[in-house]
Amino acid sequence: MITIGIDIGSVATKGVLIQGDHRWSAMVSTGWSPRDAGRMAIEQLLEISCLDMSQIGRTYATGYGRVAFEAAEKTVTEIKCHARGVVELHPQVRTIIDIGGQDSKVIRVGEGGRVLDFTMNDKCAAGTGRFLQVMATTLGLDVSELGMVEEPGQALDITSMCTVFAESEIIGMLARGNPKAGIIAGLHNSVGKRVAPMVRRLGVNREIAFTGGVAINAGVRRALEKELGCPLMVADDCQYTGALGAALLARQS
Ligand code: ADP
């Protein structure tokens, strides 16, 4: 059966289409309409796979915008989808750290991706992709450049945990002539310090996978590895893990 998983996130809408051993993926900006973003992701998937909607057996939706997306047969939580997606990519994983645009989650999984426990921060922007986006704008950079520009050896201490105060702190640091590379390393360390206690609360059970768009940022990965004292597994398509999980769950149900 050909299936589609759509992950409608706060920043990006990701889609994965599975046909046998083949996988296609597409990403669009969520913008103000989760419903339109979901539809656009499906259109892109159909275009690149040269299929039409009548050939799709099932479509499952996940992500914060899933409730607004009536084109899916079923909605599934991000927790379940990330767990399913991760075991497909790294079957030995027992802990998942997912950092997306507006929240961060830690999920403990058992054999076959069974969810055993989870914890999440969706109350505060610190420790999320939004925090990094705001700081990148303040530094005159794109969020995709942060991991490449940082200099861990020059890391400066960012003392404010709140996004608004941290932004003021950075403006002050720039005004005093501090190098961007050191400020960025400090920002990555502050995300690591914010998320690592969530992992410790559930237990540092290896192997640990890092998923979500923020996992693309090598600086956050470095900071988390330093905090936790162990390596993190990051798949090339880490941002698509939830959509992949949704497509796999649609296929197996
Ligand atoms: P959501 O599901 O909430 O839309 P994602 O898992 O798609 O979130 O992650 C979005 C976040 O990923 C952005 O806020 C940004 O911080 C980060 N991000 C996205 N693309 C990149 C990139 N190329 N390099 C580094 N970070 C990125």
Side-chain angles (χ1 to χ4, degrees):
M1 182 196 281
I2 306 173
T3 59
I4 290 180
I6 296 288
D7 176 4
I8 306 178
S10 60
V11 174
T13 293
K14 288 76 64 179
V16 169
L17 185 152
I18 303 180
Q19 180 184 31
D21 291 335
H22 297 282
R23 267 188 224 154
W24 286 269
S25 49
M27 178 154 44
V28 299
S29 176
T30 300
W32 61 271
S33 171
R35 190 178 297 149
D36 289 350
R39 286 208 196 101
M40 274 162 60
I42 289 184
E43 274 168 28
Q44 282 193 15
L45 287 171
L46 295 174
E47 198 179 317
I48 56 177
S49 61
C50 301
L51 295 165
D52 66 65
M53 203 58 203
S54 64
Q55 295 171 277
I56 308 301
R58 259 194 294 265
T59 300
Y60 278 14
T62 187
Y64 105 107
R66 65 183 183 274
V67 282
F69 191 58
E70 75 296 322
E73 275 83 33
K74 193 172 164 183
T75 59
V76 193
T77 66
E78 288 148 273
I79 310 277
K80 265 194 188 162
C81 289
H82 274 267
R84 182 64 190 88
V86 161
V87 293
E88 191 71 12
L89 302 170
H90 318 286
Q92 67 280 39
V93 163
R94 291 297 167 265
T95 306
I96 302 164
I97 302 170
D98 169 42
I99 311 185
Q102 68 176 10
D103 62 25
S104 37
K105 309 180 194 69
V106 179
I107 310 163
R108 198 155 69 83
V109 292
E111 198 87 358
R114 202 160 45 92
V115 176
L116 302 177
D117 201 358
F118 73 93
T119 181
M120 72 188 289
N121 155 39
D122 59 354
K123 301 279 181 283
C124 169
T128 71
R130 174 76 61 217
F131 174 82
L132 292 167
Q133 282 183 249
V134 170
M135 301 310 155
T137 305
T138 308
L139 291 161
L141 297 169
D142 186 79
V143 73
S144 60
E145 297 175 282
L146 295 178
M148 295 174 259
V149 177
E150 77 153 13
E151 278 294 342
Q154 303 172 8
L156 294 161
D157 253 356
I158 314 283
T159 53
S160 314
M161 274 297 187
C162 165
T163 305
V164 177
F165 291 147
E167 192 184 7
S168 309
E169 197 176 338
I170 284 167
I171 291 168
M173 284 175 162
L174 288 171
R176 289 191 295 279
N178 286 297
K180 283 186 186 182
I183 297 174
I184 297 167
L187 285 169
H188 293 155
N189 288 348
S190 85
V191 175
K193 285 196 169 70
R194 187 85 187 186
V195 176
M198 292 167 63
V199 183
R200 289 192 205 102
R201 223 174 296 145
L202 292 194
V204 185
N205 300 300
R206 294 173 68 176
E207 301 292 327
I208 305 179
F210 185 15
T211 67
V214 175
I216 302 169
N217 183 329
V220 177
R221 174 185 178 172
R222 171 201 57 74
L224 270 168
E225 287 180 335
K226 193 178 80 180
E227 283 292 321
L228 297 170
C230 64
L232 303 182
M233 306 175 89
V234 181
D236 289 341
D237 42 5
C238 53
Q239 201 171 2
Y240 291 92
T241 313
L244 170 66
L248 290 166
L249 289 168
R251 188 167 70 170
Q252 76 193 38
S253 62

